Amino acid sequence: GATGRRLRGTQLGGGARSSSSATNGGGGGSARHLAATTSETKQNILIWEQAEKEDYIVNTQDLIKLGEVVGKGDKVKDEEAVMASARFLRAHLPPKIAKRIKELQSLPFPFQKDGGSFQEICGLYKESFLGVLASKVPTTLEEEAAFSEMIWQMKKNHLTVRQMVGEAMSNMRCTGSGEWVDQSGKLVYVDDADRESDFKVQNILRSFYNGRVGLRCLVEQHLMLRTGLLGQSFPGEEDDVCRVVWSRLRKAEKLSSMPPTILDTSCKLKTLVEISIADAKQALAEALEERRQSIHVQIEGYVEEQRAVVPEHFCIVLYEILSNAITATMEKHQPGALPPVIVTIGNSDGVAIKISDQGGGIFGDYESKVWKFTWSQRSPGVSATRQGLALSRVYAQLWG
């Protein structure tokens, strides 16, 4: 709207930079600037071309089918499956990465300050995009190994993206409507509502994270496949979150080997709930001790229920919601033993996991706001990145 445009103009400092300032410093500087600009233009053309291609969406049925046809002890077929997976990645990663770059670049100016984290994130994705695009399509196991090592390194480089997004928006928060304010409550940006659903910035962030999760799924799936079928992994893979969750699951359920997919087709949900409870309580242990409080998380319902899930994602969602439930209960009550948080496992087609607490609940007019990035009913600075519930929804909706 008009207000948003006025605010964006104010943020720009009254006008764009003079184009001549970039070429000051003599002919050498002009030549270097022209070369850099030309190179950047070519990169942007590549990004836009790839971003227009179809975006493959990871789905449960594809993972189930993959698990049914591999890992049968046929070395030749297993090697062929790994090679096919690498070629699939080589074809589908560039469009997926390019779309994430375009999404970040489409954020309004207040989110694109010079030297800000969003520019750093764009740079990180550009580097990965160009690296994948420049890589050979694997035709041998040696080329597959080199390609896989590159995407493993890419995944490691992207581990801090969520933190970087949080830092980029650390001085701003969403009020739950289209307004964004700084830590003092001063209005810094007014969003335009999207015709279809939500406000523009919320839709961009949701789309970015949805694509990022899908991107990570493809990379993790390939790395799990080559470990499960070829017994090969790279230094540090055992410490990756996906592998750590699977290792804990294997230990709890006494599984013999690492599966060739990120999907557990018959996972005991109670085990993942227990893992998530342990992680949430450990993360809040210091706060509980400082407040001289203790809390019990109780599991009820169909505790033997087994379903096909991606363990890492299931635990991420549960951890975020459990952490919120325990924190709210801590803040609501006095020192001592707190009322329990109750996790109820359902057995419907969709498998409902209900988490109940006595933390005071959510005010009625807040219900539509809790799923928005950076919104929080807590005071500014209390909640770290203010992305947890919004991200939990992204993970849940990815798998239907």
Side-chain angles (χ1 to χ4, degrees):
T3 307
R5 287 193 290 273
R6 286 198 299 273
L7 284 167
R8 284 193 287 272
T10 303
Q11 288 287 343
L12 279 165
R17 294 174 180 173
S18 170
S19 60
S20 62
S21 63
T23 59
N24 288 340
S30 300
R32 285 192 297 273
H33 171 71
L34 181 60
T37 303
T38 303
S39 177
E40 186 174 350
T41 300
K42 289 180 178 178
Q43 291 177 15
N44 287 333
I45 291 172
L46 287 172
I47 290 168
W48 279 82
E49 287 177 346
Q50 288 292 325
E52 292 303 309
K53 294 185 178 181
E54 186 178 356
D55 193 359
Y56 169 77
I57 306 299
V58 184
N59 63 81
T60 306
Q61 291 305 314
D62 283 356
L63 294 177
I64 290 175
K65 289 177 183 177
L66 179 63
E68 291 173 347
V69 299
V70 299
K72 307 299 182 183
D74 188 323
K75 183 180 178 181
V76 174
K77 287 187 177 180
D78 286 349
E79 289 178 350
E80 288 175 350
V82 171
M83 289 295 298
S85 173
R87 289 192 290 269
F88 182 86
L89 268 188
R90 175 59 183 78
H92 288 277
L93 284 184
K96 291 193 79 69
I97 299 174
K99 289 177 189 294
R100 308 301 71 85
I101 296 170
K102 280 187 64 178
E103 286 159 353
L104 292 178
Q105 289 176 337
S106 69
L107 284 167
F109 181 79
F111 300 83
Q112 301 280 10
K113 294 180 180 178
D114 289 344
S117 292
F118 278 121
Q119 288 191 354
E120 293 176 21
I121 298 168
C122 271
L124 186 62
Y125 274 82
K126 278 187 178 182
E127 182 181 345
S128 299
F129 170 79
L130 294 171
V132 174
L133 209 59
S135 65
K136 293 180 62 176
V137 177
T139 57
T140 67
L141 288 175
E142 289 75 17
E143 291 174 352
E144 182 281 325
F147 175 78
S148 297
E149 185 173 13
M150 179 193 67
I151 63 169
W152 161 241
Q153 187 61 50
M154 180 183 78
K155 185 187 177 188
K156 288 198 298 180
N157 292 342
H158 286 241
L159 287 177
T160 59
V161 165
R162 177 181 171 181
Q163 179 184 340
M164 292 170 72
V165 171
E167 291 172 354
M169 297 189 295
S170 61
N171 294 321
M172 292 193 293
R173 60 186 176 88
C174 172
T175 64
S177 60
E179 296 179 346
W180 291 77
V181 298
D182 62 18
Q183 290 185 343
S184 68
K186 180 182 177 182
L187 187 66
V188 294
Y189 178 70
V190 178
D191 205 348
D192 295 320
D194 187 283
R195 291 180 181 179
E196 296 180 1
S197 53
D198 208 339
F199 291 95
K200 178 181 178 181
V201 173
Q202 294 293 333
N203 280 334
I204 292 172
L205 292 173
R206 192 176 299 114
S207 180
F208 168 75
Y209 271 120
N210 189 61
R212 169 175 157 76
V213 172
L215 180 62
R216 286 171 59 86
C217 278
L218 289 179
V219 173
E220 288 168 354
Q221 172 55 53
H222 177 70
L223 294 174
M224 286 282 284
L225 186 71
R226 68 192 312 276
T227 298
L229 299 185
L230 306 183
Q232 297 178 9
S233 59
F234 301 105
E237 270 195 74
E238 67 279 2
D239 298 323
D240 184 65
V241 176
C242 181
R243 302 299 176 92
V244 169
V245 171
W246 263 107
S247 295
R248 295 167 73 181
L249 188 60
R250 284 176 60 195
K251 183 178 180 180
E253 298 192 351
K254 297 180 174 58
L255 302 175
S256 58
S257 60
M258 189 71 76
T261 77
I262 58 174
L263 184 79
D264 187 343
T265 55
S266 56
C267 182
K268 188 174 181 180
L269 301 184
K270 182 186 176 185
T271 303
L272 294 183
V273 172
E274 290 171 337
I275 290 173
S276 303
I277 290 171
D279 288 346
K281 291 180 74 172
Q282 182 180 355
L284 295 168
E286 186 175 336
L288 284 164
E289 185 177 353
E290 287 178 358
R291 291 171 172 265
R292 302 190 304 279
Q293 295 172 323
S294 61
I295 193 165
H296 173 65
V297 181
Q298 184 175 326
I299 306 175
E300 298 179 348
Y302 294 86
V303 294
E304 299 300 322
E305 189 71 13
Q306 296 184 355
R307 290 298 172 100
V309 298
V310 176
E312 177 191 4
H313 295 180
F314 198 88
C315 286
I316 287 173
V317 174
L318 282 178
Y319 170 82
E320 294 290 353
I321 300 176
L322 282 166
S323 296
N324 276 345
I326 295 172
T327 301
T329 306
M330 289 165 53
E331 294 175 349
K332 180 70 175 178
H333 297 273
Q334 299 298 318
L338 300 173
V341 171
I342 300 174
V343 180
T344 306
I345 302 174
N347 73 334
S348 63
D349 290 341
V351 187
I353 304 289
K354 184 172 76 171
I355 298 175
S356 308
D357 63 71
Q358 296 182 43
I362 300 171
F363 293 115
D365 59 342
Y366 286 173
E367 289 184 9
S368 63
K369 300 178 180 180
V370 297
W371 306 110
K372 296 187 185 298
F373 289 94
T374 80
W375 184 87
S376 176
Q377 61 182 335
R378 297 192 181 95
S379 302
V382 173
S383 181
T385 63
R386 294 164 287 136
Q387 301 180 78
L389 284 179
L391 269 174
S392 296
R393 195 181 205 184
V394 168
Y395 278 103
Q397 290 179 336
L398 179 68
W399 302 111

